[in-house]
Every structure is written in C-alpha cells, then in structure tokens.
C-alpha cells in the first residue's frame, strides 16, 4: 500500500470511529428526555370570524361552509373556508382537497368557487388565504415567497390529515394560476398528497426570473434582465429599511389601453371589475411587496416535478398566454402518472370563473379515481 492509499484508509477509519462515537452518543441521548419544539399558538380565533357570504360567486344550496384556522411551520395562522356537502352523514370520512390561487387572489374569488363546486360533488374541500394575505396572519402584509407559499399547501395537508371527517390517505391539492406551480412543488415534496390538479398554471419563479415567453429570449437577454431586476429591488430594500415601509409592486392595472397585451386586459376584466374585485386581494389592489420578487428569481420551483409518483392533471386554455408552463411541466414528468388537458379556445382567466369552461366533471372524476 502506497502512502496515498494508506492516508486514505486511515482517514476513512478515523471517520468510522467518529461516526461510531456519534452513534453511541445519540443512543445515550435517546435515553434522556428531549423537549420537542412546540407548535405555535394560533393567533386568529375562527369562532370570531364572520361566516356571512362575502364571495364573488353565488352560494350553492347543496353545500355548507364555515371558517376554520390552521397554522404553518413558520407560526403563521391561516384562515380557510371549509366546504362540505350538506348531505354528508355523521361520522363519515370524505376525500379532501386543499385549494388555493390564483397568485394574488384570496379565497373569496376563485379558489372558493372551485372548492364549493367540488364539495357539491362529494368532497370535503378547503380554500384558504395564503400567509400574509386576506384574512390569514403574517406581517408585513402581502409578502410572498416560493418557500412559504409551498409550505401553506403542506400546512393545509397537515390540518386536513388531522380532521376526524377526512380520510388522511385520500387528500389531494388543486392549485390555480401561480398556485398551480406551488401545488406541483408541494406534490414533489410530500407523498401524503395523493393526487394533484393544476388549472391555468403559472411557474412564478420562472416568470419572475426570466420574464414572460423566455423561450423566445437568448440566455444573454435573460441574464441582463435578471441583473437589472436585482439592482432595482436591492436599491429599494435599502430605502424600505430606511423608511420603515415596504414598497408594493403594484396590482393589476385599474385601466387598460389598446396597446396593452391581451392577457393584461383579461386580468383587468377579472381583478378590477365586479366580476372578481376584492379589497383583500393584492391582485386587485397593491400587488405583493416589491422585496418579495428576488425570492422567486433566485429560488426555482418544480425542478423535481419528475419525481412526483402520484397522479397529476394539468389543465390549461388553448389560447392562454401561459399555456407553456403546463406543457413544460408535462414534458418534464417522465412517468405514466401525468395528463395534460387543453381546453380549446380558452384564455388564462376563463379558467378562473367561467363555469361552462372549467372542466369540473373531469376534475371530480380525476380525484375520485386517484385519491386512494
């Protein structure tokens, strides 16, 4: 044995002794009481929240709903609307679905519409406001990040898994728009999620990092845009700290002009009109905090979509500007657990609230088949 090989052998032997000592110490520690880190106290009392109907869509007489609260691992209390079929029997355990989105929206706009319709079809559903948004807790308001937004889905699964009226082996998630991307990210992390549906999906990390339609850009263009974004937001962070306030990125435009892209006009027609406006939604009002943006630009999501082993249904409009996000996730997934459903003629926002366009029968069939 030469000196190099001997040195390597001695190093490995020393490492083995160190590990063995660590294991013995761990064994000794196992015999001593170890205090667990306590779950956070929830800061919002669901019983004090109004259950008066305040949605942007009509109430369905076939469904009951009530406000509930749950917490994520960052100690933020989230508020959700729990929807159940009125003909649900006492002691019955239902298949459950956590629903969120679009990005910038709240549960009284789109996610609640999906949740109520699926409850009418026999599911227990939970539409929730994300952290820092709507009725949910968290400061500063309207902050977002790919980590916390994904965590909110996982926290919803935590909550549903512990309800006595839910079968914990039959829980799915449904994400709309930007929350479609977070749903995919959550499913790649958590095998408790038995089935995933996305509708008109965005990958928020990708679009913030690269801008729209990055497939038409050169790497040099993307790099230059990312640099300009970093410089702009970093300068603003200095001012935010000095001023004690957070500049907002700006919501959907209140007025539109003919030269704006069609999809921007479509967003306006939802977020800034009676059809979907909500003062709680940062899509309708201020936008997210500007300092949230670099989190998405520097933290990609969905990179492990190909590791999802449970069924995934990706739904998108045939005329949607965002269609490529769903198509690219579909291509990335390599198994036989994926399905891409394109709705002919539909634009991005048609899948927010057009009941004759959203394929609820297909969604319900998918969950009934795959929540097992």
């Amino acid at each position: 044995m030469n000196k190099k090989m001997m040195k390597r052998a001695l190093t490995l032997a020393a490492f083995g002794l160190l590990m063995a000592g660590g294991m013995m110490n761990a064994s000794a520690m196992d015999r001593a009481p170890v205090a667990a880190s306590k779950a956070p106290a929830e800061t919002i009392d669901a019983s004090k929240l109004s259950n008066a109907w305040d949605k942007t869509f009509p109430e369905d007489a076939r469904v009951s709903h009530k406000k509930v609260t749950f917490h994520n691992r960052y100690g933020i209390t989230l508020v959700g609307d729990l929807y159940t079929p009125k003909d649900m029997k006492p002691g019955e355990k239902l298949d459950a679905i956590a629903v969120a989105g679009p990005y910038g929206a709240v549960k009284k706009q789109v996610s609640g519409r999906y949740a109520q319709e699926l409850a009418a079809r026999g599911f227990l559903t939970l539409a929730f406001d994300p952290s820092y948004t709507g009725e949910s807790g968290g400061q500063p308001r309207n902050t977002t990040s790919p980590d916390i937004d994904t965590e909110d889905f996982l926290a919803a699964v935590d909550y549903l898994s512990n309800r006595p009226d839910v079968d914990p082996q039959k829980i799915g998630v449904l994400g709309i728009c930007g929350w479609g991307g977070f749903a995919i990210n959550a499913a790649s992390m958590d095998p408790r999620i038995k089935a995933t549906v996305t509708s008109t999906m965005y990958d928020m990390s990708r679009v913030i990092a690269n801008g729209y339609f990055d497939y038409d850009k050169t790497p040099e263009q993307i790099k230059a845009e990312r640099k300009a974004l970093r410089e702009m937001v970093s300068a603003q962070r200095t001012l935010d700290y000095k001023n004690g306030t957070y500049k907002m990125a700006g919501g959907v435009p209140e007025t539109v002009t003919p030269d704006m892209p069609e999809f921007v006009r479509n967003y306006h027609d939802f977020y800034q009109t009676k059809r979907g406006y909500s003062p709680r939604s940062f899509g309708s009002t201020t936008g997210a905090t500007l300092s949230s943006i670099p989190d998405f630009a520097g933290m990609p999501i969905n990179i492990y979509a190909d590791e999802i082993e449970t069924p995934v249904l990706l739904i998108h409009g045939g005329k949607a500007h965002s269609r490529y996000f769903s198509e690219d996730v579909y291509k990335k997934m390599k198994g036989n657990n994926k399905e891409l459903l394109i709705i002919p003629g539909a634009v991005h926002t048609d899948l927010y609230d057009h009941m004759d366009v959203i394929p609820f029968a297909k969604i319900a069939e998918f969950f009934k088949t795959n929540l097992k």
Side-chain angles (χ1 to χ4, degrees):
M1 180 181 294
N2 60 36
K3 289 183 179 181
K4 185 176 181 180
M5 293 177 64
M6 184 176 293
K7 185 177 180 180
R8 174 177 169 79
L10 290 171
T11 300
L12 291 173
F15 180 74
L17 288 170
L18 179 63
M19 291 299 293
M23 291 173 67
M24 286 188 289
N25 289 338
S27 179
M29 289 175 62
D30 288 342
R31 294 192 294 271
V34 178
S37 181
K38 291 184 178 180
E42 293 184 359
T43 58
I44 301 170
D45 184 348
S47 68
K48 295 181 179 179
L49 297 172
S50 173
N51 284 303
W53 192 259
D54 62 350
K55 321 305 180 197
T56 60
F57 51 90
E59 188 172 8
D60 190 325
R62 299 170 295 172
V63 176
S64 299
H65 96 288
K66 65 177 181 179
K67 294 285 175 64
V68 298
T69 59
F70 58 101
H71 58 270
N72 67 19
R73 66 184 179 89
Y74 294 108
I76 298 170
T77 299
L78 291 96
V79 177
D81 281 315
L82 189 77
Y83 294 87
T84 54
K86 280 190 175 175
D87 61 0
M88 183 178 178
K89 300 176 178 62
E92 187 176 8
K93 289 181 179 287
L94 296 183
D95 300 357
I97 307 166
V99 190
Y103 181 77
V106 288
K107 62 187 182 303
K108 64 182 290 183
Q109 292 170 302
V110 178
S111 59
R113 180 184 294 271
Y114 274 72
Q116 179 179 243
E117 179 62 28
L118 289 170
R121 295 170 184 260
F123 299 92
L124 181 150
T125 59
L126 174 65
F128 60 88
D129 285 337
S131 294
Y132 309 102
T133 308
E135 291 186 292
S136 290
Q139 293 287 345
R141 302 305 294 168
N142 298 335
T143 298
T144 67
S145 83
D147 181 19
I148 294 177
D149 291 341
T150 301
E151 161 62 16
D152 285 349
F153 256 136
L154 304 183
V157 175
D158 294 340
Y159 170 74
L160 291 171
S161 297
N162 284 281
R163 284 190 62 89
D165 49 6
V166 170
D167 184 338
Q169 299 303 315
K170 296 183 178 181
I171 297 175
V173 297
L174 192 160
I176 305 133
C177 184
W179 282 80
F182 304 138
I184 293 293
N185 208 40
S188 71
M189 297 167 62
D190 194 337
R192 295 177 302 170
I193 297 171
K194 303 302 182 184
T196 303
V197 172
T198 70
S199 181
T200 199
M201 188 195 84
Y202 257 58
D203 181 329
M204 294 305 302
S205 289
R206 178 178 173 182
V207 74
I208 290 175
N210 301 345
Y212 283 103
F213 317 120
D214 54 1
Y215 50 81
D216 280 337
K217 298 178 180 180
T218 65
E220 291 73 24
Q221 285 177 304
I222 293 174
K223 185 177 180 179
E225 290 173 4
R226 284 170 58 83
K227 180 180 178 180
L229 178 67
R230 289 195 302 270
E231 291 176 346
M232 182 267 290
V233 177
S234 296
Q236 185 59 48
R237 284 191 61 130
T238 301
L239 294 174
D240 286 349
Y241 194 90
K242 178 181 180 180
N243 298 332
T245 58
Y246 291 92
K247 184 173 182 178
M248 311 308 290
V252 172
E254 295 182 15
T255 58
V256 293
T257 57
D259 60 324
M260 287 181 174
E262 181 183 5
F263 71 87
V264 174
R265 299 198 299 272
N266 291 339
Y267 281 134
H268 168 271
D269 292 346
F270 179 80
Y271 283 104
Q272 297 296 354
T273 69
K274 186 178 179 181
R275 173 183 165 196
Y277 176 84
S278 170
R280 295 177 186 163
S281 161
F282 68 70
S284 292
T285 54
T286 64
T289 55
L290 189 62
S291 55
S292 297
I293 290 176
D295 285 1
F296 290 92
M299 300 180 192
I301 60 174
N302 300 338
I303 57 175
Y304 296 113
D306 57 333
E307 294 185 2
I308 300 174
E309 296 180 348
T310 50
V312 174
L313 171 63
L314 303 147
I315 303 167
H316 228 108
K319 293 178 67 176
H321 68 286
S322 51
R323 175 175 168 173
Y324 66 97
F325 292 119
S326 287
E327 291 175 331
D328 285 355
V329 167
Y330 180 80
K331 292 173 186 174
K332 184 175 181 62
M333 297 179 66
K334 302 302 182 184
N336 58 3
N337 59 325
K338 61 180 182 176
E339 182 177 356
L340 176 64
L341 176 62
I342 300 297
I343 309 300
V347 300
H348 183 87
T349 53
D350 285 343
L351 288 166
Y352 282 8
D353 62 342
H354 288 188
M355 300 299 285
D356 58 337
V357 176
I358 303 169
F360 280 115
K362 172 65 176 179
I363 295 170
E365 176 192 8
F366 175 83
F367 277 125
K368 286 177 181 177
T369 300
N370 293 298
L371 288 181
K372 56 185 180 180

